[in-house]
Amino acid sequence: MIYNTLAGYYDCLVKDDEATQDWVKWIGKYVSPCKTLELACGSGEITEQLSEKGYQVTALDLSAQMVEQAKAKDVEGKIEFFVQDMKDLSNFSSFDTILCLCDSFNYILSKEEISAFIKEVSEHLNENGYFLFDTHSLDRMSEFEEEWNETGIFEDGCGYQWSISSEQDWLYQDFAFYLPNGEMIQEHHLQKIYDPAWLEEELRQYFEIVSVDTDFILPGIQEGEKYFYVLRKR
Ligand SMILES: C[S@@+](CC[C@H](N)C(=O)[O-])C[C@H]1O[C@@H](n2cnc3c(N)ncnc32)[C@H](O)[C@@H]1O
C-alpha cells in the first residue's frame, strides 16, 4: 500500500498554504461553487478550502489513511468522503465539476487505463461540466534522471528519507520512515508520465479543451513542472 505511513506525515512534507490558494484560485477562474467531485483528494487541503468557499464537495481517495487526515479537517462535516479507486466511479451519479489535482493523474499507470478513466470521468459530468486536472510535465523525466534526495526528522522523532528518480517515462518516489521504536517502513510509489500530444487526442474524444497551461500561468505546453488542463464536456 502507498500513502499508508506517509499519510500521517504528508502535510509535514508537502503542505504549502500559498500553493493551496493558487490551486483554489485556478479552479475558481473556471468554475463557481457547484456540485464537485474531487478525485484523489489526499489530505484534503484543497478539498477543505473549496468547501469553505461554498463548493458542494464529494471527495475520494484510495488511501483510507489519507481520507482520515482529510476528514479531520472537515470539522463542520460538510464534505462527503469515500475510500475508493478513482478509476471506478460507478457508485456516483453526476457532477458539475470533477477535479484530480497535484499529479494524482500520474498514478494511473497505462495508456489503456488513462483512456478508460477519461471516459469514466466524462460519463459522470453534467452537460457542459468541467474536468480540471494536472500532470507531471515531460521535463520531470530529465529533472530526476539524477536521483533527488531529502532527509529529515519529524517532530515526533521519526526520521525519513525521500528520493525521486526517473527512468524513461516512469517516476519513482521512494520513502523510508525510521520510527522512534526502531522500526523501518518503506513505501515505493510509481507514477507514469504521459506525452501531452497523445493525451490531448484522447481528451478531445469527450471534451472541448478550454485551456492547457504550464505551472498555473504559462500558456500552453512549456518547460516547467506540471501541465494544467481545463476541459468542458462535449
Ligand atoms: C500526490 S497526492 C495528491 C493529493 C491531493 N490531490 C492534493 O492535492 O494534495 C496523490 C493522491 O492520489 C491518491 N491516489 C493514487 N492512486 C489513486 C487511485 N487509483 N484512486 C484514488 N486515489 C488515488 C493517493 O492515495 C494520494 O492521496
Side-chain angles (χ1 to χ4, degrees), residues 88-106:
D88 179 5
L89 305 176
S90 55
N91 54 321
F92 294 115
S93 57
S94 56
F95 296 84
D96 300 317
T97 297
I98 298 184
L99 308 169
C100 185
L101 311 173
C102 270
D103 60 63
S104 303
F105 187 91
N106 298 95

Side-chain angles (χ1 to χ4, degrees), residues 196-215:
W198 173 81
L199 190 53
E200 278 197 36
E201 251 178 62
E202 292 299 304
L203 292 166
R204 278 186 205 284
Q205 292 181 42
Y206 306 97
F207 294 98
E208 174 199 336
I209 299 187
V210 176
S211 77
V212 183
D213 295 314
T214 302
D215 295 343

Side-chain angles (χ1 to χ4, degrees), residues 74-229:
D74 179 31
V75 284
E76 289 181 45
K78 287 203 273 187
I79 303 166
E80 210 181 349
F81 286 101
F82 293 82
V83 176
Q84 72 176 67
D85 193 326
M86 62 184 168
K87 298 195 292 301
D88 179 5
L89 305 176
S90 55
N91 54 321
F92 294 115
S93 57
S94 56
F95 296 84
D96 300 317
T97 297
I98 298 184
L99 308 169
C100 185
L101 311 173
C102 270
D103 60 63
S104 303
F105 187 91
N106 298 95
Y107 280 96
I108 301 179
L109 300 179
S110 72
K111 282 186 167 178
E112 291 71 26
E113 284 181 308
I114 290 288
S115 303
F117 174 67
I118 291 169
K119 182 167 184 282
E120 182 77 352
V121 168
S122 78
E123 286 173 355
H124 289 84
L125 275 172
N126 294 329
E127 207 177 324
N128 292 321
Y130 275 79
F131 178 32
L132 275 70
F133 72 97
D134 67 291
T135 67
H136 280 304
S137 73
L138 293 174
D139 304 305
R140 292 302 219 180
M141 297 191 231
S142 47
E143 182 182 351
F144 294 112
E145 253 172 30
E146 196 173 314
E147 189 175 271
W148 171 92
N149 274 288
E150 180 178 294
T151 54
I153 301 178
F154 299 116
E155 264 182 19
D156 66 358
C158 174
Y160 72 90
Q161 181 171 19
W162 176 13
S163 70
I164 310 179
S165 59
S166 69
E167 196 179 65
Q168 294 171 346
D169 51 0
W170 293 103
L171 205 66
Y172 305 98
Q173 300 210 42
D174 296 304
F175 297 87
F177 299 98
Y178 304 92
L179 304 187
N181 67 5
E183 198 184 344
M184 195 265 275
I185 298 174
Q186 288 182 297
E187 283 194 23
H188 302 289
H189 296 206
L190 185 57
Q191 290 181 299
K192 181 130 179 126
I193 296 173
Y194 294 95
D195 178 350
W198 173 81
L199 190 53
E200 278 197 36
E201 251 178 62
E202 292 299 304
L203 292 166
R204 278 186 205 284
Q205 292 181 42
Y206 306 97
F207 294 98
E208 174 199 336
I209 299 187
V210 176
S211 77
V212 183
D213 295 314
T214 302
D215 295 343
F216 289 116
I217 50 162
L218 305 171
I221 299 294
Q222 299 200 32
E223 200 175 312
E225 293 186 0
K226 284 183 169 64
Y227 305 139
F228 290 71
Y229 293 85

Side-chain angles (χ1 to χ4, degrees), residues 2-3 10 14 23 38-47 60-63 66 84-87 100-105 107-108 173 191:
I2 56 170
Y3 290 96
Y10 183 76
V14 301
W23 282 104
E38 188 187 359
L39 308 174
C41 65
S43 67
E45 281 293 305
I46 300 169
T47 327
L60 66 84
D61 198 281
L62 191 57
S63 158
M66 287 299 258
Q84 72 176 67
D85 193 326
M86 62 184 168
K87 298 195 292 301
C100 185
L101 311 173
C102 270
D103 60 63
S104 303
F105 187 91
Y107 280 96
I108 301 179
Q173 300 210 42
Q191 290 181 299

